[in-house]
């Protein structure tokens, strides 16, 4: 349990730092597009074009953030196999706190009192969940569950991408939520994946859950990038938290046998609800990520301007 918690916390730190660095890279790329007065940076609906997203992805900040995301993915996958999903996914989702704190330094964002209060609620909820968590269930599920995970992942990621492009500049929260659902599907897929223990490559390659993980990871990363380009980094991350926490947690309890400590079920439920509510509140109260600029100093009158 302790090793699993440490692993989940490390994944959370990687994800949170990666999100802020990716936001820095996205904004740097957007400023370059604006300086060029380029019309290729947005779609007809006001959202970022594929070319602008690709340009954001080649900034050094974004690449470092992506490396941290991959590291976080590996640590998160390990945590998902050692902890109940409602605990591992929620602890990983605490990257919201890391994101909020780093955004103050790197993006010049000022958090409002409601945002600080909401982050405090999320932290308190994590303590409750860690206290209540019991042993994780098994990953043995019928093959039909693996196929359903692949089908739902394709529908959500494909349909979500189309919806985000149609909504354009208004799709920040939706893109964050969908990316969270994609990352949540990764957690479920890793948990039920065949051919891991013991390792069996042919069995692993034949498992539909593997392709659900790959599709959800790739498209989820793209949607997360879009959310960071057009919306508040804290709001987008909070929406991601909701997506990657609720469904995996429910699936873990209902299908995979995850449970809480005896007599602590109400604590687990309370912590789960507070974590989701706190994340939603951060998204609700989040303001556009515009750094506070100093007011211009009054200019002295030039002699030629005096009448």
């Amino acid at each position: 349990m302790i090793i699993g918690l440490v692993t989940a916390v490390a994944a959370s730190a990687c994800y949170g730092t990666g999100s802020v660095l990716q936001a820095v890279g996205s904004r740097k790329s957007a400023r370059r597009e604006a300086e060029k007065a380029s019309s290729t940076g947005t779609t007809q609906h006001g959202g970022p074009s594929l070319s602008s997203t690709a340009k954001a992805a080649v900034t050094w900040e974004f690449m470092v953030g992506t490396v941290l995301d991959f590291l976080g993915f590996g640590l998160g996958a390990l945590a998902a196999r050692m902890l109940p999903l409602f605990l591992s996914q929620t602890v990983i989702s605490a990257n919201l706190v890391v994101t909020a704190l780093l955004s103050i330094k790197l993006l010049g964002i000022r958090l409002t009192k409601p945002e600080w209060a909401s982050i405090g609620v999320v932290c308190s909820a994590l303590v409750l969940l860690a206290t209540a968590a019991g042993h994780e269930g098994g990953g043995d599920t019928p093959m039909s569950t693996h196929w359903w995970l692949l089908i739902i992942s394709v529908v959500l990621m494909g349909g979500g991408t189309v919806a985000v492009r149609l909504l354009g500049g208004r799709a920040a929260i939706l893109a964050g939520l969908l990316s969270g659902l994609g990352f949540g599907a990764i957690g479920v897929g890793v948990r039920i994946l065949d051919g891991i223990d013991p390792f069996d490559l042919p069995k692993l390659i034949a498992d539909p859950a593997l392709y659900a993980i790959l599709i959800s990871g790739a498209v989820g990363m793209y949607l997360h990038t879009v959310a960071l380009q057009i919306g508040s980094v804290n709001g987008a991350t909070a929406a991601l938290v909701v997506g990657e926490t609720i469904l995996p947690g429910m699936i873990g309890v209902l299908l995979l046998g995850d449970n809480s400590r005896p007599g602590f079920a109400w604590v687990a439920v309370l912590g789960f609800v507070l974590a989701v509510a706190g994340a939603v509140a951060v998204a609700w109260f989040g303001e556009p990520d515009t750094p506070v600029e100093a007011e211009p100093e009054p200019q002295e009158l030039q002699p030629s301007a005096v009448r």
Side-chain angles (χ1 to χ4, degrees):
M1 176 71 76
I2 298 298
I3 296 176
L5 282 172
V6 171
T7 303
V9 170
S12 177
C14 288
Y15 276 134
T17 306
S19 291
V20 176
L21 288 175
Q22 287 170 331
V24 171
S26 297
R27 281 152 177 71
K28 178 185 288 187
S29 176
R31 285 196 300 270
R32 289 173 180 170
E33 291 290 316
E35 289 171 359
K36 295 177 182 178
S38 173
S39 60
T40 61
T42 59
T43 66
Q44 60 178 332
H45 303 287
S49 64
L50 289 175
S51 63
S52 68
T53 302
K55 289 176 182 177
V58 296
T59 59
W60 74 264
E61 296 94 343
F62 196 96
M63 288 189 287
V64 172
T66 301
V67 170
L68 287 173
D69 276 347
F70 278 113
L71 181 58
F73 167 77
L75 292 170
L78 186 60
R81 295 188 72 89
M82 293 191 292
L83 298 171
L85 281 177
F86 70 82
L87 176 59
S88 66
Q89 294 303 110
T90 307
V91 172
I92 292 171
S93 296
N95 68 75
L96 169 67
V97 179
V98 179
T99 299
L101 296 178
L102 284 180
S103 65
I104 298 173
K105 179 68 175 178
L106 297 181
L107 294 174
I109 298 170
R110 286 184 179 175
L111 299 183
T112 63
K113 290 182 179 180
E115 285 179 294
W116 279 116
S118 302
I119 290 172
V121 170
V122 173
C123 293
S124 301
L126 293 178
V127 174
L128 292 176
L129 282 169
T131 302
H135 294 289
E136 76 279 8
D140 297 329
T141 54
M143 185 55 63
S144 60
T145 303
H146 298 227
W147 280 107
W148 273 114
L149 180 64
L150 175 59
I151 293 170
I152 292 172
S153 297
V154 170
V155 171
L156 272 179
M157 296 297 100
T161 300
V162 172
V164 166
R165 291 185 64 79
L166 290 176
L167 287 173
R170 300 169 295 170
I173 298 300
L174 176 62
L177 178 63
L178 288 168
S179 66
L181 289 173
F183 296 149
I186 291 174
V188 175
V190 167
R191 182 69 171 276
I192 67 175
L193 193 60
D194 291 333
I196 297 294
D197 187 18
F199 182 73
D200 186 338
L201 183 59
K203 192 174 184 180
L204 178 66
I205 294 176
D207 192 343
L210 173 63
Y211 303 98
I213 291 171
L214 296 176
I215 292 170
S216 298
V219 181
M221 183 69 70
Y222 165 73
L223 291 173
H224 185 46
T225 303
V226 171
L228 292 174
Q229 284 182 288
I230 61 180
S232 158
V233 62
N234 292 324
T237 304
L240 183 150
V241 164
V242 174
E244 73 174 342
T245 303
I246 296 179
L247 282 181
M250 293 175 62
I251 290 173
V253 172
L254 297 177
L255 297 180
L256 302 180
D258 291 346
N259 53 54
S260 61
R261 292 168 56 191
F264 279 77
W266 69 272
V267 178
V269 172
L270 177 61
F272 188 81
V273 171
L274 286 177
V276 174
V280 172
V282 174
W284 179 264
F285 292 119
E287 297 178 353
D289 295 340
T290 52
V292 179
E293 299 179 357
E295 294 183 2
E297 296 180 359
Q299 297 181 350
E300 294 182 1
L301 291 177
Q302 300 296 324
S304 60
V306 179
R307 301 297 181 189

